[in-house]
Amino acid sequence: QVQLVESGGGLVQPEGSLRLSCVVSGSIFSIYGMAWYRQAPGKQRELVARMTSDYITNYGDSVKGRFTMSRDKAKNTGYLQMNSLKPEDTAVYYCNANIKRTMWGEVYDYWGQGTQVTVSS
């Protein structure tokens, strides 16, 4: 079984910072891409940041220059550093990973349960 567990969300004032973590655990052969998505109430889930297996990143237009995604391959952990937060960043943030569980298996998508980020004064 594979689990993705996010942490680091919470309440922060505008212009503040938070760092989200996503720990991947379980029976894993390899993690390929990882990504962060978010979903605000009444809105569709949107891509925040994506990192390929080659550690190439791309970001949603609304977070470019403010958010930074990173990975620690040894710890099977992804991070999302969020700076200069705005009220419109308020959402549930989800971690996504493309994982192969065995050497000869296929790559599947896995999701975490989400962590709430609220930006408010």
Side-chain angles (χ1 to χ4, degrees):
Q1 189 172 353
V2 174
Q3 278 192 315
L4 277 64
V5 179
E6 302 101 331
S7 62
L11 174 64
V12 63
Q13 292 188 340
E15 295 303 313
S17 298
L18 283 175
R19 188 193 194 204
L20 305 184
S21 299
C22 172
V23 178
V24 182
S25 63
S27 178
I28 300 165
F29 174 74
S30 184
I31 300 172
Y32 292 84
M34 290 187 75
W36 289 92
Y37 288 78
R38 68 186 182 187
Q39 188 167 20
K43 294 188 177 182
Q44 288 190 330
R45 190 172 294 189
E46 64 171 348
L47 175 70
V48 176
R50 177 188 289 124
M51 180 178 282
T52 69
S53 55
D54 295 327
Y55 291 76
I56 296 171
T57 56
N58 56 68
Y59 298 91
D61 288 341
S62 62
V63 306
K64 283 180 182 176
R66 301 187 297 123
F67 290 11
T68 303
M69 182 175 180
S70 60
R71 281 177 64 177
D72 186 329
K73 188 175 182 180
K75 295 182 179 180
N76 285 344
T77 301
Y79 303 96
L80 184 68
Q81 178 66 44
M82 306 185 295
N83 298 329
S84 302
L85 283 160
K86 304 175 181 180
E88 50 264 43
D89 294 317
T90 295
V92 178
Y93 284 70
Y94 296 92
C95 177
N96 168 264
N98 312 127
I99 296 170
K100 182 182 283 192
R101 297 189 62 188
T102 63
M103 181 182 292
W104 309 111
E106 296 184 10
V107 178
Y108 291 98
D109 248 11
Y110 291 87
W111 292 86
Q113 81 290 348
T115 185
Q116 176 70 46
V117 171
T118 302
V119 184
S120 175
S121 56

